[in-house]
PDB file of all heavy atoms in Angstrom:
ATOM      1  N   ALA X1395       1.760 -18.561  -6.889  1.00  0.00           N
ATOM      2  CA  ALA X1395       1.198 -17.759  -5.798  1.00  0.00           C
ATOM      3  C   ALA X1395       2.297 -17.043  -5.020  1.00  0.00           C
ATOM      4  O   ALA X1395       2.112 -15.898  -4.582  1.00  0.00           O
ATOM      5  CB  ALA X1395       0.382 -18.651  -4.858  1.00  0.00           C
ATOM      6  N   ALA X1396       3.449 -17.691  -4.838  1.00  0.00           N
ATOM      7  CA  ALA X1396       4.566 -17.048  -4.123  1.00  0.00           C
ATOM      8  C   ALA X1396       5.052 -15.810  -4.864  1.00  0.00           C
ATOM      9  O   ALA X1396       5.331 -14.769  -4.253  1.00  0.00           O
ATOM     10  CB  ALA X1396       5.705 -18.051  -3.942  1.00  0.00           C
ATOM     11  N   PHE X1397       5.147 -15.903  -6.183  1.00  0.00           N
ATOM     12  CA  PHE X1397       5.554 -14.722  -6.960  1.00  0.00           C
ATOM     13  C   PHE X1397       4.503 -13.611  -6.861  1.00  0.00           C
ATOM     14  O   PHE X1397       4.848 -12.418  -6.749  1.00  0.00           O
ATOM     15  CB  PHE X1397       5.774 -15.103  -8.424  1.00  0.00           C
ATOM     16  CG  PHE X1397       7.145 -15.667  -8.700  1.00  0.00           C
ATOM     17  CD1 PHE X1397       7.310 -17.010  -8.967  1.00  0.00           C
ATOM     18  CD2 PHE X1397       8.265 -14.855  -8.681  1.00  0.00           C
ATOM     19  CE1 PHE X1397       8.569 -17.544  -9.217  1.00  0.00           C
ATOM     20  CE2 PHE X1397       9.526 -15.367  -8.933  1.00  0.00           C
ATOM     21  CZ  PHE X1397       9.682 -16.725  -9.202  1.00  0.00           C
ATOM     22  N   LEU X1398       3.234 -13.983  -6.902  1.00  0.00           N
ATOM     23  CA  LEU X1398       2.184 -12.978  -6.744  1.00  0.00           C
ATOM     24  C   LEU X1398       2.253 -12.326  -5.362  1.00  0.00           C
ATOM     25  O   LEU X1398       1.987 -11.127  -5.225  1.00  0.00           O
ATOM     26  CB  LEU X1398       0.809 -13.611  -6.961  1.00  0.00           C
ATOM     27  CG  LEU X1398       0.466 -14.012  -8.392  1.00  0.00           C
ATOM     28  CD1 LEU X1398      -0.858 -14.765  -8.438  1.00  0.00           C
ATOM     29  CD2 LEU X1398       0.397 -12.783  -9.300  1.00  0.00           C
ATOM     30  N   LYS X1399       2.624 -13.099  -4.346  1.00  0.00           N
ATOM     31  CA  LYS X1399       2.741 -12.551  -3.002  1.00  0.00           C
ATOM     32  C   LYS X1399       3.835 -11.477  -2.916  1.00  0.00           C
ATOM     33  O   LYS X1399       3.729 -10.526  -2.133  1.00  0.00           O
ATOM     34  CB  LYS X1399       3.041 -13.671  -1.995  1.00  0.00           C
ATOM     35  CG  LYS X1399       1.805 -14.284  -1.381  1.00  0.00           C
ATOM     36  CD  LYS X1399       1.087 -13.250  -0.527  1.00  0.00           C
ATOM     37  CE  LYS X1399      -0.230 -13.735  -0.009  1.00  0.00           C
ATOM     38  NZ  LYS X1399      -0.978 -12.688   0.678  1.00  0.00           N
ATOM     39  N   LEU X1400       4.887 -11.637  -3.710  1.00  0.00           N
ATOM     40  CA  LEU X1400       5.938 -10.616  -3.733  1.00  0.00           C
ATOM     41  C   LEU X1400       5.402  -9.285  -4.255  1.00  0.00           C
ATOM     42  O   LEU X1400       5.864  -8.217  -3.859  1.00  0.00           O
ATOM     43  CB  LEU X1400       7.099 -11.080  -4.613  1.00  0.00           C
ATOM     44  CG  LEU X1400       7.853 -12.328  -4.156  1.00  0.00           C
ATOM     45  CD1 LEU X1400       8.936 -12.687  -5.176  1.00  0.00           C
ATOM     46  CD2 LEU X1400       8.489 -12.123  -2.779  1.00  0.00           C
ATOM     47  N   LEU X1401       4.404  -9.370  -5.133  1.00  0.00           N
ATOM     48  CA  LEU X1401       3.821  -8.166  -5.734  1.00  0.00           C
ATOM     49  C   LEU X1401       2.755  -7.517  -4.858  1.00  0.00           C
ATOM     50  O   LEU X1401       2.501  -6.309  -4.965  1.00  0.00           O
ATOM     51  CB  LEU X1401       3.224  -8.536  -7.094  1.00  0.00           C
ATOM     52  CG  LEU X1401       2.546  -7.442  -7.913  1.00  0.00           C
ATOM     53  CD1 LEU X1401       3.559  -6.369  -8.309  1.00  0.00           C
ATOM     54  CD2 LEU X1401       1.892  -8.043  -9.161  1.00  0.00           C
ATOM     55  N   MET X1402       2.125  -8.287  -3.979  1.00  0.00           N
ATOM     56  CA  MET X1402       0.956  -7.807  -3.246  1.00  0.00           C
ATOM     57  C   MET X1402       1.171  -6.521  -2.441  1.00  0.00           C
ATOM     58  O   MET X1402       0.270  -5.684  -2.378  1.00  0.00           O
ATOM     59  CB  MET X1402       0.419  -8.907  -2.329  1.00  0.00           C
ATOM     60  CG  MET X1402      -0.408  -9.973  -3.017  1.00  0.00           C
ATOM     61  SD  MET X1402      -1.870  -9.305  -3.879  1.00  0.00           S
ATOM     62  CE  MET X1402      -1.363  -9.551  -5.579  1.00  0.00           C
ATOM     63  N   PRO X1403       2.329  -6.301  -1.790  1.00  0.00           N
ATOM     64  CA  PRO X1403       2.482  -5.039  -1.052  1.00  0.00           C
ATOM     65  C   PRO X1403       2.322  -3.795  -1.915  1.00  0.00           C
ATOM     66  O   PRO X1403       1.906  -2.742  -1.413  1.00  0.00           O
ATOM     67  CB  PRO X1403       3.903  -5.148  -0.476  1.00  0.00           C
ATOM     68  CG  PRO X1403       4.104  -6.616  -0.291  1.00  0.00           C
ATOM     69  CD  PRO X1403       3.435  -7.231  -1.490  1.00  0.00           C
ATOM     70  N   VAL X1404       2.650  -3.891  -3.196  1.00  0.00           N
ATOM     71  CA  VAL X1404       2.441  -2.750  -4.088  1.00  0.00           C
ATOM     72  C   VAL X1404       0.948  -2.421  -4.168  1.00  0.00           C
ATOM     73  O   VAL X1404       0.552  -1.256  -4.268  1.00  0.00           O
ATOM     74  CB  VAL X1404       2.994  -3.054  -5.500  1.00  0.00           C
ATOM     75  CG1 VAL X1404       2.708  -1.897  -6.452  1.00  0.00           C
ATOM     76  CG2 VAL X1404       4.488  -3.336  -5.428  1.00  0.00           C
ATOM     77  N   ILE X1405       0.117  -3.445  -4.077  1.00  0.00           N
ATOM     78  CA  ILE X1405      -1.321  -3.284  -4.235  1.00  0.00           C
ATOM     79  C   ILE X1405      -2.014  -2.961  -2.914  1.00  0.00           C
ATOM     80  O   ILE X1405      -2.927  -2.132  -2.881  1.00  0.00           O
ATOM     81  CB  ILE X1405      -1.915  -4.571  -4.852  1.00  0.00           C
ATOM     82  CG1 ILE X1405      -1.370  -4.737  -6.272  1.00  0.00           C
ATOM     83  CG2 ILE X1405      -3.438  -4.555  -4.857  1.00  0.00           C
ATOM     84  CD1 ILE X1405      -1.640  -6.093  -6.877  1.00  0.00           C
ATOM     85  N   VAL X1406      -1.581  -3.588  -1.813  1.00  0.00           N
ATOM     86  CA  VAL X1406      -2.320  -3.447  -0.554  1.00  0.00           C
ATOM     87  C   VAL X1406      -1.618  -2.573   0.478  1.00  0.00           C
ATOM     88  O   VAL X1406      -2.235  -2.187   1.476  1.00  0.00           O
ATOM     89  CB  VAL X1406      -2.627  -4.827   0.068  1.00  0.00           C
ATOM     90  CG1 VAL X1406      -3.465  -5.665  -0.876  1.00  0.00           C
ATOM     91  CG2 VAL X1406      -1.353  -5.573   0.456  1.00  0.00           C
ATOM     92  N   VAL X1407      -0.345  -2.250   0.286  1.00  0.00           N
ATOM     93  CA  VAL X1407       0.377  -1.425   1.262  1.00  0.00           C
ATOM     94  C   VAL X1407       0.742  -0.058   0.693  1.00  0.00           C
ATOM     95  O   VAL X1407       0.598   0.974   1.364  1.00  0.00           O
ATOM     96  CB  VAL X1407       1.656  -2.143   1.764  1.00  0.00           C
ATOM     97  CG1 VAL X1407       2.415  -1.246   2.749  1.00  0.00           C
ATOM     98  CG2 VAL X1407       1.304  -3.469   2.421  1.00  0.00           C
ATOM     99  N   LEU X1408       1.189  -0.032  -0.549  1.00  0.00           N
ATOM    100  CA  LEU X1408       1.653   1.224  -1.145  1.00  0.00           C
ATOM    101  C   LEU X1408       0.599   2.332  -1.153  1.00  0.00           C
ATOM    102  O   LEU X1408       0.942   3.503  -0.905  1.00  0.00           O
ATOM    103  CB  LEU X1408       2.169   0.964  -2.565  1.00  0.00           C
ATOM    104  CG  LEU X1408       2.894   2.121  -3.254  1.00  0.00           C
ATOM    105  CD1 LEU X1408       4.039   2.648  -2.390  1.00  0.00           C
ATOM    106  CD2 LEU X1408       3.418   1.689  -4.624  1.00  0.00           C
ATOM    107  N   PRO X1409      -0.687   2.051  -1.416  1.00  0.00           N
ATOM    108  CA  PRO X1409      -1.674   3.138  -1.322  1.00  0.00           C
ATOM    109  C   PRO X1409      -1.706   3.796   0.052  1.00  0.00           C
ATOM    110  O   PRO X1409      -1.876   5.021   0.162  1.00  0.00           O
ATOM    111  CB  PRO X1409      -2.997   2.435  -1.640  1.00  0.00           C
ATOM    112  CG  PRO X1409      -2.618   1.293  -2.507  1.00  0.00           C
ATOM    113  CD  PRO X1409      -1.306   0.811  -1.958  1.00  0.00           C
ATOM    114  N   GLY X1410      -1.535   3.008   1.118  1.00  0.00           N
ATOM    115  CA  GLY X1410      -1.483   3.580   2.456  1.00  0.00           C
ATOM    116  C   GLY X1410      -0.251   4.431   2.665  1.00  0.00           C
ATOM    117  O   GLY X1410      -0.306   5.493   3.316  1.00  0.00           O
ATOM    118  N   LEU X1411       0.877   4.002   2.119  1.00  0.00           N
ATOM    119  CA  LEU X1411       2.100   4.809   2.204  1.00  0.00           C
ATOM    120  C   LEU X1411       1.924   6.125   1.458  1.00  0.00           C
ATOM    121  O   LEU X1411       2.346   7.187   1.947  1.00  0.00           O
ATOM    122  CB  LEU X1411       3.279   4.025   1.611  1.00  0.00           C
ATOM    123  CG  LEU X1411       3.746   2.791   2.390  1.00  0.00           C
ATOM    124  CD1 LEU X1411       4.776   2.012   1.574  1.00  0.00           C
ATOM    125  CD2 LEU X1411       4.342   3.195   3.728  1.00  0.00           C
ATOM    126  N   ALA X1412       1.310   6.064   0.281  1.00  0.00           N
ATOM    127  CA  ALA X1412       1.089   7.291  -0.488  1.00  0.00           C
ATOM    128  C   ALA X1412       0.194   8.264   0.260  1.00  0.00           C
ATOM    129  O   ALA X1412       0.365   9.488   0.172  1.00  0.00           O
ATOM    130  CB  ALA X1412       0.479   6.944  -1.849  1.00  0.00           C
ATOM    131  N   ALA X1413      -0.752   7.733   1.032  1.00  0.00           N
ATOM    132  CA  ALA X1413      -1.669   8.597   1.787  1.00  0.00           C
ATOM    133  C   ALA X1413      -0.952   9.401   2.865  1.00  0.00           C
ATOM    134  O   ALA X1413      -1.473  10.427   3.318  1.00  0.00           O
ATOM    135  CB  ALA X1413      -2.774   7.758   2.413  1.00  0.00           C
ATOM    136  N   VAL X1414       0.231   8.967   3.274  1.00  0.00           N
ATOM    137  CA  VAL X1414       1.004   9.726   4.270  1.00  0.00           C
ATOM    138  C   VAL X1414       1.277  11.139   3.761  1.00  0.00           C
ATOM    139  O   VAL X1414       1.227  12.117   4.526  1.00  0.00           O
ATOM    140  CB  VAL X1414       2.331   8.997   4.588  1.00  0.00           C
ATOM    141  CG1 VAL X1414       3.213   9.852   5.497  1.00  0.00           C
ATOM    142  CG2 VAL X1414       2.052   7.648   5.240  1.00  0.00           C
ATOM    143  N   LEU X1415       1.554  11.273   2.453  1.00  0.00           N
ATOM    144  CA  LEU X1415       1.791  12.599   1.880  1.00  0.00           C
ATOM    145  C   LEU X1415       0.534  13.209   1.270  1.00  0.00           C
ATOM    146  O   LEU X1415       0.333  14.418   1.345  1.00  0.00           O
ATOM    147  CB  LEU X1415       2.880  12.510   0.801  1.00  0.00           C
ATOM    148  CG  LEU X1415       4.282  12.084   1.252  1.00  0.00           C
ATOM    149  CD1 LEU X1415       5.268  12.240   0.100  1.00  0.00           C
ATOM    150  CD2 LEU X1415       4.753  12.894   2.455  1.00  0.00           C
ATOM    151  N   LEU X1416      -0.315  12.381   0.680  1.00  0.00           N
ATOM    152  CA  LEU X1416      -1.478  12.917  -0.029  1.00  0.00           C
ATOM    153  C   LEU X1416      -2.657  13.217   0.887  1.00  0.00           C
ATOM    154  O   LEU X1416      -3.498  14.056   0.561  1.00  0.00           O
ATOM    155  CB  LEU X1416      -1.918  11.925  -1.109  1.00  0.00           C
ATOM    156  CG  LEU X1416      -0.940  11.737  -2.276  1.00  0.00           C
ATOM    157  CD1 LEU X1416      -1.454  10.654  -3.220  1.00  0.00           C
ATOM    158  CD2 LEU X1416      -0.729  13.041  -3.035  1.00  0.00           C
ATOM    159  N   ALA X1417      -2.747  12.528   2.018  1.00  0.00           N
ATOM    160  CA  ALA X1417      -3.868  12.742   2.947  1.00  0.00           C
ATOM    161  C   ALA X1417      -3.373  12.600   4.380  1.00  0.00           C
ATOM    162  O   ALA X1417      -3.757  11.679   5.102  1.00  0.00           O
ATOM    163  CB  ALA X1417      -4.981  11.750   2.660  1.00  0.00           C
ATOM    164  N   PRO X1418      -2.499  13.500   4.820  1.00  0.00           N
ATOM    165  CA  PRO X1418      -1.872  13.349   6.139  1.00  0.00           C
ATOM    166  C   PRO X1418      -2.831  13.521   7.313  1.00  0.00           C
ATOM    167  O   PRO X1418      -2.496  13.142   8.434  1.00  0.00           O
ATOM    168  CB  PRO X1418      -0.808  14.446   6.138  1.00  0.00           C
ATOM    169  CG  PRO X1418      -1.311  15.469   5.169  1.00  0.00           C
ATOM    170  CD  PRO X1418      -2.027  14.702   4.111  1.00  0.00           C
ATOM    171  N   ASP X1419      -4.015  14.050   7.091  1.00  0.00           N
ATOM    172  CA  ASP X1419      -4.932  14.344   8.196  1.00  0.00           C
ATOM    173  C   ASP X1419      -6.222  13.522   8.124  1.00  0.00           C
ATOM    174  O   ASP X1419      -7.288  13.993   8.537  1.00  0.00           O
ATOM    175  CB  ASP X1419      -5.289  15.842   8.186  1.00  0.00           C
ATOM    176  CG  ASP X1419      -4.062  16.720   8.330  1.00  0.00           C
ATOM    177  OD1 ASP X1419      -3.189  16.395   9.152  1.00  0.00           O
ATOM    178  OD2 ASP X1419      -3.981  17.734   7.607  1.00  0.00           O
ATOM    179  N   ILE X1420      -6.141  12.302   7.620  1.00  0.00           N
ATOM    180  CA  ILE X1420      -7.368  11.523   7.457  1.00  0.00           C
ATOM    181  C   ILE X1420      -7.926  11.004   8.778  1.00  0.00           C
ATOM    182  O   ILE X1420      -9.078  10.598   8.862  1.00  0.00           O
ATOM    183  CB  ILE X1420      -7.166  10.338   6.494  1.00  0.00           C
ATOM    184  CG1 ILE X1420      -6.044   9.405   6.994  1.00  0.00           C
ATOM    185  CG2 ILE X1420      -6.909  10.805   5.098  1.00  0.00           C
ATOM    186  CD1 ILE X1420      -5.920   8.145   6.152  1.00  0.00           C
ATOM    187  N   GLY X1421      -7.117  10.988   9.835  1.00  0.00           N
ATOM    188  CA  GLY X1421      -7.618  10.526  11.134  1.00  0.00           C
ATOM    189  C   GLY X1421      -7.470   9.023  11.282  1.00  0.00           C
ATOM    190  O   GLY X1421      -6.483   8.528  11.802  1.00  0.00           O
ATOM    191  N   ARG X1422      -8.455   8.264  10.825  1.00  0.00           N
ATOM    192  CA  ARG X1422      -8.419   6.809  10.958  1.00  0.00           C
ATOM    193  C   ARG X1422      -7.581   6.199   9.844  1.00  0.00           C
ATOM    194  O   ARG X1422      -7.838   6.441   8.661  1.00  0.00           O
ATOM    195  CB  ARG X1422      -9.832   6.228  10.912  1.00  0.00           C
ATOM    196  CG  ARG X1422     -10.692   6.578  12.116  1.00  0.00           C
ATOM    197  CD  ARG X1422     -12.070   5.942  12.029  1.00  0.00           C
ATOM    198  NE  ARG X1422     -11.989   4.491  12.119  1.00  0.00           N
ATOM    199  CZ  ARG X1422     -12.205   3.666  11.086  1.00  0.00           C
ATOM    200  NH1 ARG X1422     -12.494   4.147   9.902  1.00  0.00           N
ATOM    201  NH2 ARG X1422     -12.127   2.364  11.265  1.00  0.00           N
TER     202      ARG X1422
END
């Protein structure tokens, strides 16, 4: 589980980071 936790930001955080450039005006 600890190793899986190291991977989780790629799955749950990176899409939000990508939205900074791909959807800069989403509002919420």
Side-chain angles (χ1 to χ4, degrees):
F1397 276 108
L1398 289 174
K1399 269 294 173 187
L1400 296 178
L1401 180 64
M1402 282 301 110
V1404 177
I1405 294 168
V1406 300
V1407 178
L1408 189 54
L1411 292 172
V1414 174
L1415 297 188
L1416 293 176
D1419 301 318
I1420 58 174
R1422 292 182 66 251

